[in-house]
Amino acid sequence: MSEAEMPVSMQFDDAAQEHEAATLGMWTFLATEILFFGGVLMAFTVYRRLYPEAFSQAGHRLYPWIGTANTGVLLFSSFTMALAVHEVEGLARRNRLVRYLILTALLGATFIGVKAIEYYIDYREGLMPHFNFHPVEPFEHPIQSQLFFVFYFFLTMLHATHMIIGIVIMLFYVGRTRRADYAHDLRLKIEMFGLYWHFVDIIWIFLFPILYLIA
Amino acid sequence: MNLPQIPYFLSHSASVTGERVDFVFGLLIVFATTIIVIVLAMVLFCVTKYHRHRHANREGAIDHSTKLEMFFATVLTVIALTLFAWAADVYADISRPPADTMNIYVVGKQWMWKLHQPNGREEINALHVPVGQAVKLIMTSQDVIHDFYVPAFRVKQDVLPDRYTTMWFTATKTGTYRIHCAQYCGTDHAAMIGWVYVMTQPDYQKWLDAAPANQPAIAGTPGTVGAPMATQLRSTFNAMGCIACHVPTSSVRAPRLDGIYGQAVKLQNGQTVAADEEYIRESILFPNAKISAGYPQPSLMPSYNGQLSEQQLRDLVDFVKSIRNGWPADATTQPASAEPAKDEPKP
Amino acid sequence: MSELQKTIEPSPPRRLNYINHDWSVASWLWPKDHKRIGVMYLVTITFLFFLGSMPAILIRLELLTPKAHLVTHDIYNRLFTMHGVTMVFFFLIPSIPTTFGNILLPMMIGARDLAFPKLNLASYYVFLIGAILAMVSLVYGGVDTGWTFYTPYSTTFSNSAMTPMIFGIFIAGFSSIFTGINFIVTIHTMRCPGMYWSRLPLFVWSLYATSLIFILGTPVLAITLLLLAAEHAFGVGIFNPALGGDPLLYQHLFWFYSHPAVYIMILPGMGVVSELIATFSRKRIFGYHFVAYSSVAIAILGFLVWGHHMFVSGQSMYAGMVFSVLSFLVAVPSAIKVFNWTLTLYKGSLVLKTPLLYALGFIGLFTIGGLTGLFLAAMGVDVHVHDTYFVIAHFHYIMVGGAMMAYLGAMHYWWPKITGRMYPEGWGVFSAVLVFFGFNLTFFPQFVLGYMGMVRRVAEYDAHFQVLNVLSTAGASILGVGYLLPLGYFFWSLRWEPKAGPNPWNATGLEWQSPSPPPELNFEVMPTVNGPPYDYDTVALHEEGIKHV
Amino acid sequence: MTHMTHAKTKNSTLVFTLISLFVLLGLTVAANKMEHGALATVIALLIASAKAVIVGLFFMDLRKSTSLTRLFATAGLLWIFIMLVLTMCDYVSRGM
Ligand code: HEA
Ligand code: HEA
Ligand code: CUA
Ligand SMILES: [Cu+2]
């Protein structure tokens, strides 16, 4: 067995088996994530159907252009992540890998920053349930509209949490890649991590129209 | 006074639908017992006959038979679907009250039941009903979810906050039966109990006439006299400001209420519902829940949730019912002194 | 002790196995070996079972008398919540998969370990943290909502220690997810040469089906609990009708997980029973393919029936009917299993050892529990018996009579493999019989109570229910003794019982081809498979066979 | 069949993927400006699904994955669908 075909962990026969297992495992995990978000999305759908008017009015208080800009940032970060995974082979291209990872992390941080500013605007406009829900321009159905914002914050915060976890892991990988122990197992991990990052992107691809547009 | 009647296992229940429930239950018992006996017999037979130390003919054992499995699965599916249909039919019966019911309003709260007789008499943890009369309970809760359960009638229904659910029964035997709260609702859930007193029609009438309307009759204590207040109905309607919108002369475009009771109402979302008490109550408390076709959403009508006593609410419903054949002569001439709805305090 | 073993024993070279190859503290605190992790789970979960049965004892004692003499209503409510939560989330859901599944799955498919050993270890510690958090809520006075946490009571009205409890269960959920992912990937990618899907042991099939539910159901529970926590902590209305929410939506979300979860609890048990029946009938299992596929069918169909918990909740009548008919249909694959097990016994050569007794007990009690499940799925009847002791009896018949029996059966069957020692057969038979009778005495009267109208979750009841309640409590004491005995003799056996040898039951699975206890990497020679499963026809039928030890 | 021998996604493919994603994003915004009501919902969700599929196929290499992986990738969606359909079954027919 050549070095490249050696599995990293003793329980596997060869690297191919290991790679297959890792990919399947990651996708299975992503399936659980889909259901995780899916539960809230279903609750949201039920209420949107019960209170179409109130939800529509509430949704119009968000700023679609912020959401659009952030979608762009995330799509771009997915691209840089794909580039990073592309560079994962071989020691020679380690620097490029590090560069792409950092770029991705930066884009992720930009997203979070924009989101934070948006939250602040919402807060100022009195649209944050529990903390400050005194809309500058009152709603016709304050209770139901508040429900919209509860879901808006819940969903976006859940998503942002996933982003933050992703950024932390990414920085950790950057550190390890730069050190000497950049080895096969790290390559596999970065590849799998890429899947996670794209997935978080996909979640946002759906959240954006659901929250900002179809109101 | 009647002693509490002890329902015994598989006793005949004390309501019309209850008998149907008992029948399906019996059916299931027969079915289940058969299966269990077959399985147990099979196991015991094998354990004794094919014990390792026993000499038995073990030739010709097979280890699969798709035909047998399919046959078995098909038979069971058919049995299962039959049982389903039977029980579902009973359920449909339980869920759909007949047309001419006597209506009683039930309010559950931690940890008691308040019930309103049709004439306005209020009871706590007790319910008097005449035998042989279909009774419909229209129920809501003031706090958490409760559940109104009368084992002897084989009926129960969750009682939800901010929503009305209904349940009905026709008692077949006079006597005293337990009421339980069957949905866990906090500390004294176990003590949220009461009695149903099923009386003959004349006894019930006597009981009704024997107490003042507003004095709650606590379980077991005899009540005193009172009379229905038919004349009061309209004054509530006027006083609450309904009159400001719901008369043909009003400047607010609101549906006419005369004649709607019992009619089918088309809703904005395309559904059609029957304007029964439940619907009228809901329209008053939560106008936005069901908006009539052709009226703006959200409803112009303010929510009266929290602003009416149960008594007033009942009066309003009864008033709307009473005008099913047109407005009383002087109703529309009432001065529209009521405040416009916009100034009604928001809940 | 068999002649054979005696002759081999005299000078065994000290063989290294997964237990004694490394005694360092670190190697026991952070093991990556699935067998060690399994043993850690076994200890933890057995402890949690006894913890969860403490409130059960108090519940039964309280219910001896119609009035609340022993504890107040408030405490009683905390007791049954503690009992339900511990038993469901911290005992029965993880029980068989994380212990026997963990230890045996890789061995049964001829692998050296699970695909992700670190994830496996993480799942254990995540579980432990979850369990501890849930116990923390005890310190703060417990929770009084019932294991179902219905809103708006749980979020707005109850002032008990909800937060640690919710997060405890939330966290433990991730342990389930990790285990599920690990099992699925392992079964898909790590089977040894010749181990085709059609040769997988039925226990592995059932673990696969269970894992599907783990990964497809648990996330929904997690998110539901998170929504619950948010509503509870911030007072915003997610399910609260006063704030525009719908409490029934919570029930939908909760049961979307919790009904499939009942199959998480029973499927591994069914897998165990399939193994036991085949081994102790000395016969190939009848209808292997049907038994295998019915596990997967149960797992998938199980997701379509949750609304049967909501027949009287105010759910629409039509939705109720859909859920009811699907509930009847999900019973068919279970029926197929019962059918195949009994046919396996037919013309077998039954060896009536403790594990088989438990398996037979399982068949009988699961059938009763399952059939009464049909009573509940029958809508007209459920209106009457919903939230009465009939339901309590139904699920104890399946969970205690079924799953718990399977757990004990598995314990006896694989104990020699896990520890290398036999257990005392006489005591085993004695306590199996005790458990069976104690169990029926405890829970059969509850069916009657339920139909008579005794509601659940009450510390007080009408006097005429007392006789049956006393019977039930009496049964529970017998049952308790039946459970304590194994605890005693298993410990005892570790030291005093004879060594078991690699294959004390003459069974066919791969796990029996390895020494007991197995070495660190499971096999001395990595196995290959070249025949059908349960090939007892080739293991000579009238061999002197299984020895008394 | 290891990932070493996997034909790697070309950089140009990745760039092309990115461009099409941005085109779709533009489309989303444009459609939202023009359409309102139920159709807008459908359009927005359709475009979102298209974007998700593109990310899945090209960035996440589902294109080259085994059918098993694809099965698990779609299982989550299918299960959400089940949950939605059966729950809605209740909400749609309530009060009928
Ligand atoms: C391991 C746990 C487990 C299992 C496997 C099951 C299995 C089943 N359960 Fe049970 N159930 C619970 C645990 C379990 N349940 C719990 C904990 C509750 C209460 C929750 C709470 O409120 O706290 C509950 C409550 C519950 C209810 C709600 C009752 C109520 O609250 O009103 C219903 C209603 O339909 C139900 C039905 C069923 C059915 C149809 C099955 C079926 O899967 C059973 C299938 C098996 C068989 C049918 C037996 C074998 C078949 C034959 C021998 C052949 C004959 C059969 C046919 C004709 C098909 N269960
Ligand atoms: C795996 C699941 C599981 C298991 C194993 C059990 C085991 C038992 N359960 Fe439980 N039970 C549930 C799951 C389970 N239960 C659930 C989910 C609920 C619903 C909770 C809710 O409503 O929210 C419930 C509710 C419940 C109730 C209804 C409470 C109520 O609604 O008011 C009762 C009442 O009898 C009960 C009894 C018992 C008994 C007697 C046992 C016995 O099997 C226990 C036997 C074990 C022992 C007795 C301990 C070991 C022995 C000793 C330590 C020796 C000393 C003791 C003696 C000699 C007595 N359980
Ligand atoms: Cu009210 Cu229980
Ligand atoms: Cu269920």
Side-chain angles (χ1 to χ4, degrees), chain A residues 53 140-141, chain B residues 288 297-298:
Chain A
E53 201 73 14
E140 279 178 65
H141 316 276
Chain B
N288 278 312
Q297 116 100 239

Side-chain angles (χ1 to χ4, degrees), chain D residues 52-68:
Chain D
V53 168
I54 291 177
V55 172
L57 286 182
F58 294 94
F59 284 165
M60 301 170 89
D61 276 342
L62 266 187
R63 214 161 28 119
K64 297 182 216 143
S65 308
T66 58
S67 48
L68 182 65

